[in-house]
Amino acid sequence: MSYTKFSKEVTKWLKDHDLPCYGTAYDSAEVTKARLDAWMRGSKEMLRKWISEKRYRELISCAHGGWYQDDVIFEPLAEHFAKNGLFDELRFLCERGIRFSVEDMLSTIKSEKDEHETLDIETIRDIDVANYVTSPNYSGLGEIAKYRKRALDQIIRYMGYLEQVHAPVEYLEQVKDLQKSVADLTTKAKDLKPFRFRL
C-alpha cells in the first residue's frame, strides 16, 4: 500500500514538473531512458519529502516491498536513521532482510541435509557465488552459499550503520554473534529471535 502511495506521489510530481511518467512498448531507447531518469529523479525528490515529513513507517514499507533497488530507498533511509540516532527505525528497516536471508539459508540447509544426510561446509565456503549465480546449473550447496553471502553482506552493511548510530553494545554483540554463526554455517532458527523488532 505504501509503495502505491509513493508511486502516485512520484507520478504527480513528474506531471507537475512536465516530466515523462508513462511509456509504451514502442518508445525508442532514448525516450525510455529519459522516462526512467525522470522517474529516478522524482523518486529521490519524494524520498526527501517523505523523510522531511517523518513518514518513516511508510518508507520502511516501501523498502521492504522490494520494488526499488537498495540505493533508491533502503540505503538513503538507513543513512538518515544512522546519522540522526534513530536506532529503532534502523533496526526495523534492516533486520527483516537479514532474517529472510538467514531463514532462506537455513531452509536450504535443511533440504540438503534431508536429501544427503550430511553437509560439506568446506565446499560451501569455497563456492564462487558470483560464478554460481550466473551459471545455469542448480546446486543445493550453491544455493546455501548464495544465501550465506547475501546474509553476510547485509550484516556487514548493517554493522556499519550500527556503528554510526552508536547502538547498544549488547545488541552489537548479538549481531556479531549472528555474523559469526552465518559465516561458520552453525546458525540455528533460535538465533534469529533477537531480530524481530517492529516499530
Side-chain angles (χ1 to χ4, degrees):
M1 194 64 179
S2 296
Y3 166 73
T4 305
K5 281 187 208 171
F6 188 82
S7 295
K8 283 182 180 173
E9 291 199 26
V10 171
T11 300
K12 182 180 182 309
W13 186 88
L14 292 171
K15 287 179 179 176
D16 291 347
H17 291 82
D18 295 320
L19 291 167
C21 54
Y22 299 112
T24 71
Y26 305 106
D27 289 345
S28 68
E30 293 81 19
V31 168
T32 299
K33 183 181 183 318
R35 180 173 45 80
L36 293 174
D37 288 348
W39 184 264
M40 190 61 65
R41 186 174 157 206
S43 297
K44 288 179 180 176
E45 287 296 325
M46 208 46 54
L47 175 69
R48 276 195 284 276
K49 180 177 184 286
W50 280 29
I51 285 175
S52 72
E53 294 170 355
K54 296 184 170 33
R55 294 173 72 172
Y56 298 146
R57 281 178 188 256
E58 291 172 288
L59 284 170
I60 290 169
S61 175
C62 289
H64 285 173
W67 293 99
Y68 287 92
Q69 290 183 329
D70 279 0
D71 61 343
V72 178
I73 292 182
F74 181 96
E75 289 172 4
L77 192 57
E79 286 164 14
H80 173 78
F81 292 159
K83 285 178 189 168
N84 291 280
L86 300 169
F87 175 55
D88 288 347
E89 288 80 357
L90 184 65
R91 281 187 71 183
F92 188 36
L93 174 66
C94 296
E95 285 182 356
R96 181 178 184 266
I98 293 168
R99 194 174 68 249
F100 282 9
S101 294
V102 175
E103 286 170 349
D104 287 341
M105 182 186 81
L106 292 175
S107 172
T108 312
I109 286 172
K110 183 182 182 314
S111 297
E112 190 67 15
K113 281 183 175 176
D114 288 349
E115 192 172 329
H116 301 289
E117 293 183 20
T118 60
L119 194 68
D120 188 345
I121 290 173
E122 287 308 313
T123 299
I124 294 168
R125 287 185 183 151
D126 291 341
I127 290 172
D128 183 330
V129 174
N131 283 342
Y132 169 71
V133 296
T134 58
S135 137
N137 302 323
Y138 175 87
S139 151
L141 297 182
E143 289 298 297
I144 294 168
K146 177 180 78 175
Y147 292 128
R148 174 181 175 264
K149 181 179 184 329
R150 183 186 302 162
L152 288 172
D153 289 348
Q154 290 169 322
I155 292 168
I156 290 164
R157 176 176 65 179
Y158 187 33
M159 292 289 288
Y161 296 136
L162 290 174
E163 287 170 13
Q164 288 180 55
V165 82
H166 305 294
V169 174
E170 181 184 332
Y171 182 76
L172 277 171
E173 287 306 315
Q174 289 175 325
V175 177
K176 286 178 186 172
D177 288 346
L178 180 64
Q179 180 182 9
K180 184 178 185 319
S181 72
V182 169
D184 296 341
L185 291 166
T186 58
T187 314
K188 305 281 186 274
K190 66 181 174 65
D191 298 335
L192 294 172
K193 282 183 183 173
F195 304 101
R196 297 186 179 278
F197 182 80
R198 293 186 66 82
L199 284 174

